Amino acid sequence: TEARFRELLELNLRPIYEEHGFLSVDFVSVSAEKTATGGVEVTTEVNEGRPYTLGRVDIDAPAGLPLDEMRKAAAFDTETIVNWTKFLKSVQDMERPLRRTGYIGVHSKPERRLDDEHNIVNVTVHVSPGPQFRFGRLDMNGLPPNIEQDARRIWQMRPGDPFDGDYPREFLGAVTKKYDLHGGKISMAVKPRPGESVADCDISFRQ
């Protein structure tokens, strides 16, 4: 259907245009004709517009968050043709200082403002940090006793510390690199406690 075809254009083609700064690209019309072989030939009329330069990036966040550190982590590439895919990656990088200090549910939403006269896009990134979680308990299941004992010894987060959202993944990588698990599968799950700003970490091993 035309609606499904337009959905595919939005999902697959628009991001390619936006990687090159064409933020106002418009898929004007879609037409289809049957071919002699019984197929369908589809033609899409595209109005590309002009590429936009990234202008000002504002961070809208509650007081008390480390805005300077967040902006440094983002390293927004202003005054250049905007690559929107790269910009969204920068927003994820901006959230990292928050995830590492307990805001494991942080969510950000960019709001674009297109200046068509000067072909500049200014962006406000609205940050919802959520509650700051503390580390509760480390559970390990299925690991050989000698490996579990050593893994617990090198685990760095202590109960009551701000929950570092990236640390469990880094720890898991270090464990799998250090020990020969003979082809077994090791997994990790972060489990917030209901009604509490405390999260436990569950590491499981299956042969």
Side-chain angles (χ1 to χ4, degrees), residues 168-180:
R169 175 178 48 81
E170 296 170 351
F171 173 80
L172 206 62
V175 168
T176 55
K177 184 177 180 180
K178 183 175 181 180
Y179 300 105
D180 182 4

Side-chain angles (χ1 to χ4, degrees), residues 34-47:
K34 290 183 179 180
T35 66
T37 58
V40 176
E41 187 176 272
V42 182
T43 301
T44 303
E45 180 185 350
V46 182
N47 182 1

